């Protein structure tokens, strides 16, 4: 395919594009490169370890689907799996909601509040 179309998967917190980013920050469709955008609305507080876990999971999911055709469906499946993985990191307390975010809608579930047993 000489002129690839831009395939993408967009969930609330995970965006995957079959594209490269040029020097001007524009997406150039590609059949060889996937670009991952994690939490584009800054809804969560991230530490480097949690972010690296997302990237490693992404690499694992891409590797597991190697050999399959690059389709919207396959990208959506990877995006959906990453969204679920992000939810598990939130539930484990490895990431937390950013209360200073533009919107705080708790799309991954209501935050847990620590209970003080001394009261």
């Amino acid at each position: 395919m000489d002129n690839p179309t831009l395939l993408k998967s967009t969930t609330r917190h995970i965006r995957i594009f079959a594209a490269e980013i040029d020097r001007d920050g524009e997406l150039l469709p590609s059949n060889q490169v996937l670009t991952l955008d994690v939490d584009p609305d800054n809804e969560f507080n991230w530490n480097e370890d949690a972010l690296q876990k997302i990237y490693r999971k992404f690499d694992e999911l891409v590797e597991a689907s190697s050999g399959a055709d690059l389709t919207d469906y396959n990208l959506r499946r990877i995006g959906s799996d990453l969204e679920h993985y992000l939810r598990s990191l939130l539930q484990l307390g490895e990431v937390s909601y950013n209360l200073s975010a533009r919107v705080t809608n708790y799309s991954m579930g209501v935050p847990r509040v620590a209970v003080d047993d001394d009261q």
Side-chain angles (χ1 to χ4, degrees), residues 24-44:
D24 298 326
E26 299 294 321
L27 291 172
L28 300 174
S30 170
N31 290 326
Q32 304 297 319
V33 176
L34 295 179
T35 299
L36 176 64
D37 185 8
V38 178
D39 191 21
D41 295 323
N42 297 315
E43 190 173 335
F44 299 103

Side-chain angles (χ1 to χ4, degrees), residues 44 85-97 108-109 112:
F44 299 103
Y85 185 65
L86 171 54
R87 175 178 279 129
S88 74
L89 293 178
L90 179 66
Q91 290 171 343
L92 292 170
E94 295 187 35
V95 296
S96 61
Y97 281 109
M108 294 287 223
R112 287 190 264 170

Side-chain angles (χ1 to χ4, degrees), residues 53-92:
K53 285 182 179 185
I54 292 286
Y55 291 133
R56 283 192 300 272
K57 186 67 168 179
F58 174 69
D59 290 342
E60 176 186 310
L61 293 167
V62 169
E63 181 65 30
S65 66
S66 69
D69 290 337
L70 182 60
T71 63
D72 282 327
Y73 174 80
N74 290 336
L75 282 183
R76 283 193 310 267
R77 194 178 73 229
I78 292 170
S80 180
D81 288 348
L82 277 177
E83 187 85 4
H84 291 296
Y85 185 65
L86 171 54
R87 175 178 279 129
S88 74
L89 293 178
L90 179 66
Q91 290 171 343
L92 292 170

